[in-house]
Amino acid sequence: MVREFARPRRKNPVLRTRLPNLPPGGRSRVALGLTAAAALGRFELQRCRDCQAVQYPPVEACSRCLSVRLRWELQSGDGLLIAQTELAHSNDLFFRERLPWRLGMVRLDCGPTVVVHLHGDCLPAPARVRVDARLDRSGQAVLFALPDTETANMADDPQLREFTCDPRFRKVLVTDGRSPLGQALVEHLVKAGADLVWVGQAEPWKQFPGLDALRAMPQVSIVPLDLTDSSSVRELAAEIGGRVDIVVNNAEVHRTHGIGDRQGIETARLEMDVNYFGLLRLAQAFGPALRARAADGPTGAVAWVNLLSIYALSNYPPHGTFSASKAAALSLSQCLRAEMRSAGVRVVNLFPGPMDDEWNQTVVPPKVSPAVLARALITALKSGVEDVFPGDVAQEWLERWRDNPKALERELAG
Amino acid sequence: MDSAISIEAGGVARGDVGGASVLLRLAAELVSGQIRVVDLTQTLAPEFPQISLPPEMGQCWPFRIEEVSRYDERGPAWYWNNFSCGEHTGTHFDAPIHWVSGRDLPRNATDTIPPEDLIGPACVIDCTAESAADADFLLSRSFIERWESVHGRIPARAWVLMRTDWSKRTDPVAYQNYDETGQHTPGPDAEAVRFLVEERQVIGFGSESIGTDAGQAQYQRPPFPCHYYMHGAGRYGLQCLANLDQLPPTGAILICPPLKIRNGSGSPLRVLALVPA
Amino acid sequence: MLRVSLSARRVRHDYQGIVAVAPVTVPYVRYSIRTAHWFLARALAELLRVAGIDKASVDGLCVSSFTLAPDTAIGLTQHLGVAPRWLDHIPLGGACGVVALRRAARAVQSGDADIVACLAGDTNHVDSFRLTLSNFSSFARDAVYPYGAGGPNASFAFLTSNYMREYEVARADFGKLCVAQRENALRFEHALFKKPLTLAEYLDARLIADPLRLFDCVMPCAGADAFLVMSAERARSLGLDGVRVLSTIERHNGFADDPIQVRGGWALDRDDLYDQAGVGPADIDFLQVYDDYPVISLMQIEDLGFCEKGAGARFVRANTFDWNGSFPLNTSGGQLSAGQAGAAGGYLGVVEAMRQLTGVAGARQVSAAAVGMVSGFGMINYDRGLASAAAILAAD
Ligand SMILES: [Zn+2]
């Protein structure tokens, strides 16, 4: 049985901090379909549209009927573990540092035999298991077999932890504590076992509801942080950058304008200054230390979270400039993801639909409550997904966008 | 006779007193230390508190600075920065065009203000105790008249500076002094402003807090009376001043030229005072 | 069902009049700073020396190598300065020896070539094994290597553990094969392992990938093996002792629907193999199997008809496997004890069978060896070995 993950001992300061190694990240282009789905927390395999055969490893043509009409489809992952092994030797640096390492071969109920990373609570073959696609530290999807029924400390399996970003015993920076979302994030991170949550406050003279509740949490430390001020960001990074394990950048400016209903660019510039340049400043200041500490023990630096918006995918004209700033942030987050990948630090993007906050006051429900969004983030960190679309509106937009981005653009134009 | 009035009587424009040029004497006294230069300016820095309007309104930029190069690959032998800020950031000057009441006046913007208006005598009214006791303290006509009874009548074309020692509040929270009903900082009441403008012909009004008006001035009649009457009469404002405690009640000369921004409503500036040692 | 349709097909041509001669080995070394080209050149030079022919008489060339990249056989012609009129490159790993033999035999038989030099060899730099693994195949890169990067050890650990469970095979059964092969290797001058192996050492060796331990795994090395294929007449005129090819089979991706590999393509084709040779399993004097892991040896023993499927363990317990045992197996030590010189591992059994059948196996000579079998297995493309091949050879 996997044992409960215990708080790691304090680090011996005279020992060198290990540098991060990555598992093998090379993939064929077609295999990236598995990664694309896993980034959303989905286990998808190709299914032939002509003969219905499910394929694995990913192929360019159906290995049964040679059709090239293959579609990635959601799979249950149920299957039979038919063989397992425990590696005591590996040719790869990442795995060498983590031996022994359990692997299995699973015959999926949907057809193919798959090689999997094997959870410690899976019973010896033959045993029923549930296979899921997870992103590894190289950012690529791999298959992971879990016991088919929940076990006591399932999430604490040391191998599984290599794929997740569990906040437990980690130190988190939440860049804005002023918003209800920021406060919900802090509350849920603390509930999820975060050791310490630094909470940014941009304008310390502005009182806001909830500040006292934040201050009352022993894990919380309010720190000055204004993303529009490079020196403020740099100063905080100098102070705490070497200790942050998870950055949650939730600071945002949201004004509800398009182009024609607001003169000038000042409001739009402020949105860009926080939503886009703020991310850039934060990434330049906190990125290097985060990368350097990605292998710093079992609770080392692990994730970077961006609060984007479903409007980042396609412009919502009533909130047009906000949409544009989030699109810019989305683009920059892809750059950040590429740069963080060399250390295996996961960049998680949140794409909520309209949040139930003051700037969406006139938007009709459904709206995402801060608590739902915060829960979605914790789930994302614990399962290791990259892109989160919490709420019904976000899910619907995503579906429409994947189906036909041009059609969505026209629909949003009203 | 107090010194402010004697300088007025001396007449800088005449240029010649007792055989020596006033300017040469000024230079000599600056060198000898008989005249001290006091810097009334707050340092421009990102963390310096900034005026904050309701979020749906347009906002004035705080001071922000980004390094261009620092003897590095971006510029090997030189160090320099780009900065950005609003016209009303830090220690700054308010031109008449800043307020709707002054929008149609002649020479009402930073580039057209008569330059001779930018140097003048200063009367410093000490409201320190009152402001410490009540952050919402309002300077009244009677308070000014009491001051005049001690220091003499405020001459025409003088700057009136309201000393509150607010600039000594180095903690931004205390400086801004916000609560859920807004900002609480001292300033003049409407009657006092009208008195200074109409009966004393002051050239401008200066304060140590953010705004020449009090923090709660939106509830006065008219709202923001100092802005309304001063600028409506073509007079100026200075805000976020510092070191007023180093000035005598009268006798100092204020030098406060804003940046020559075309049609500018104001600008951050360096405010200096010449003070007899 | 597939077997029925296969056995119903027309009779294949025999390999009458064709012989394989001049088995040579470029001595194996653990690591080399040379390239595969160096080993293949040495192999060709040795073939010419042994056969007493000049380079120009070699008009057919067949090459197998993992580390020749970016070159293939065609590039090698320029390196070696040969101008063959028949050229083949066989990237089949452990099946390449048998497949080279059967293709070369057909080339000579048809007159497309007179003398075919069959070469297999690889170099082994300190890091080349890892590099070969990480780019072994697109399936391996996508679906195996990211899983612990254990290489074939992990894949064969699965097959072995499943096989052991399914057919009640004990590690000691595998150990018995390994110990016997080491015994054989001590009598083969090119084998890299020079010390005897005890069953206890085998059982207690360092864990590699459960249930595989150190002596279940081959040791990658550098080296080359080669032979010539020509007409029996030509061989006689050159004074070379040859071996005849009685029959051959090859099969790729057989039993694709098995959830996990418990059998190879041999099981589809073995009747054909024996029918063409006109012999049965009892007539085989020795067996050279591809032994990258002992489970594969057992699989071949079963699939080639020496015992029933699943009876391998009993067969092992009932026999002895050294050169003078009841069932001589991998008489040069196999790859497990001689070393795995890349693609040359696919030739090891062929050249050893040729030595046994021509009576030059020296201290490990199987007495009265007249008919022998060589089996090949290769290419763990994803979860199983895809290529299988076998040949029955006889003394000329
Ligand atoms: Zn198909």
Side-chain angles (χ1 to χ4, degrees), chain A residues 48 50-53 55 62 64-67:
Chain A
C48 175
D50 291 313
C51 78
Q52 310 308 319
Q55 322 279 322
C62 172
R64 184 187 290 170
C65 77
L66 301 183
S67 166

Side-chain angles (χ1 to χ4, degrees), chain A residues 2-72:
Chain A
V2 168
R3 272 187 312 197
E4 186 179 353
F5 180 61
R7 175 187 299 277
R9 296 185 59 188
R10 282 189 175 165
K11 182 179 162 186
N12 182 341
V14 302
L15 297 184
R16 170 183 177 268
T17 302
R18 274 195 331 186
L19 291 176
N21 280 308
L22 296 187
R27 297 291 191 278
S28 60
R29 187 165 202 280
V30 66
L32 295 179
L34 194 69
T35 296
L40 293 167
R42 296 161 64 91
F43 173 37
E44 293 182 351
L45 294 178
Q46 293 166 295
R47 180 195 284 279
C48 175
R49 293 168 74 174
D50 291 313
C51 78
Q52 310 308 319
V54 175
Q55 322 279 322
Y56 190 83
V59 287
E60 296 282 2
C62 172
S63 56
R64 184 187 290 170
C65 77
L66 301 183
S67 166
V68 291
R69 301 190 335 126
L70 300 168
R71 189 158 55 189
W72 289 90

Side-chain angles (χ1 to χ4, degrees), chain A residues 28 85-86 88 90-91 113 143, chain C residues 130 142 147-148 208 210 259 382-383:
Chain A
S28 60
T85 183
E86 187 172 272
S90 172
N91 296 296
T113 294
L143 303 182
Chain C
R130 190 184 65 85
D142 288 347
Y147 298 81
I208 300 293
D210 183 49
Y382 167 49
D383 61 338

Side-chain angles (χ1 to χ4, degrees), chain A residues 24 26-28 31 56 82-86 88-92 95 103-105 107 113-115 117 125 142-143, chain C residues 130 133 139 141-143 145-150 153-154 157-158 161-162 165 207-210 257 259-260 382-383:
Chain A
R27 297 291 191 278
S28 60
Y56 190 83
I82 48 181
Q84 82 260 357
T85 183
E86 187 172 272
H89 171 271
S90 172
N91 296 296
D92 179 85
F95 291 107
L103 299 173
M105 248 178 147
R107 180 65 156 189
T113 294
V114 297
V115 175
H117 298 291
V142 288
L143 303 182
Chain C
R130 190 184 65 85
L133 290 184
F139 276 5
R141 188 187 48 187
D142 288 347
Y145 196 66
Y147 298 81
N153 289 336
F158 293 138
S161 68
N162 178 66
R165 191 181 73 238
L207 196 63
I208 300 293
D210 183 49
D257 291 334
I260 182 168
Y382 167 49
D383 61 338

Side-chain angles (χ1 to χ4, degrees), chain C residues 112-372:
Chain C
D112 288 346
D114 291 328
I115 298 180
V116 178
C118 297
L119 317 175
D122 271 292
T123 188
N124 187 40
H125 305 325
V126 170
D127 198 34
S128 55
F129 189 61
R130 190 184 65 85
L131 294 175
T132 301
L133 290 184
S134 58
N135 275 307
F136 193 76
S137 70
S138 62
F139 276 5
R141 188 187 48 187
D142 288 347
V144 181
Y145 196 66
Y147 298 81
N153 289 336
S155 305
F156 282 96
F158 293 138
L159 305 194
T160 303
S161 68
N162 178 66
Y163 211 87
M164 290 171 72
R165 191 181 73 238
E166 193 78 11
Y167 300 118
E168 297 179 338
V169 182
R171 288 202 67 242
D173 298 324
F174 296 135
K176 184 173 180 181
L177 299 181
C178 294
V179 168
Q181 287 189 196
R182 180 63 59 86
E183 203 51 41
N184 295 337
L186 298 178
R187 293 159 180 265
F188 175 46
E189 64 277 21
H190 295 310
L192 283 184
F193 289 89
K194 304 291 188 192
K195 286 195 293 191
L197 176 70
T198 68
L199 186 60
E201 284 168 342
Y202 168 87
L203 291 173
D204 299 337
R206 180 159 66 84
L207 196 63
I208 300 293
D210 183 49
L212 301 179
R213 290 174 183 264
L214 184 63
F215 298 113
D216 289 303
C217 309
V218 295
M219 183 166 77
C221 63
D225 288 287
F227 56 87
L228 295 172
V229 176
M230 59 181 68
S231 68
E233 274 169 19
R234 186 70 179 266
R236 265 195 299 280
S237 74
L238 289 168
L240 296 169
D241 289 336
V243 299
R244 288 181 294 128
V245 181
L246 298 187
S247 69
T248 67
I249 52 171
E250 71 176 270
R251 175 69 64 176
H252 308 289
N253 196 25
F255 305 116
D257 291 334
D258 286 1
I260 182 168
Q261 188 163 38
V262 291
R263 52 186 175 168
W266 313 281
L268 286 170
D269 302 298
R270 67 161 177 249
D271 292 350
D272 194 25
L273 179 69
Y274 288 116
D275 287 351
Q276 189 181 26
V279 300
D283 302 317
I284 304 297
D285 296 320
F286 60 82
L287 174 62
Q288 313 290 347
V289 296
Y290 190 78
D291 63 332
D292 47 356
Y293 297 84
V295 67
I296 302 304
S297 299
L298 211 55
M299 200 182 289
Q300 287 164 94
I301 289 170
E302 293 173 347
D303 292 351
L304 288 164
F306 296 99
C307 66
E308 283 303 303
K309 189 81 214 165
R314 255 179 293 135
F315 183 84
V316 168
R317 290 164 202 169
N319 281 284
T320 54
F321 298 91
D322 51 359
W323 59 281
N324 63 353
S326 62
F327 191 87
L329 179 76
N330 290 354
T331 48
S332 61
Q335 300 177 86
L336 284 168
S337 280
Q340 181 183 59
Y347 270 47
L348 186 65
V350 177
V351 295
E352 175 63 8
M354 291 169 68
R355 286 170 178 141
Q356 289 289 353
L357 292 172
T358 54
V360 298
R364 62 186 190 283
Q365 180 65 50
V366 175
S367 67
V371 178

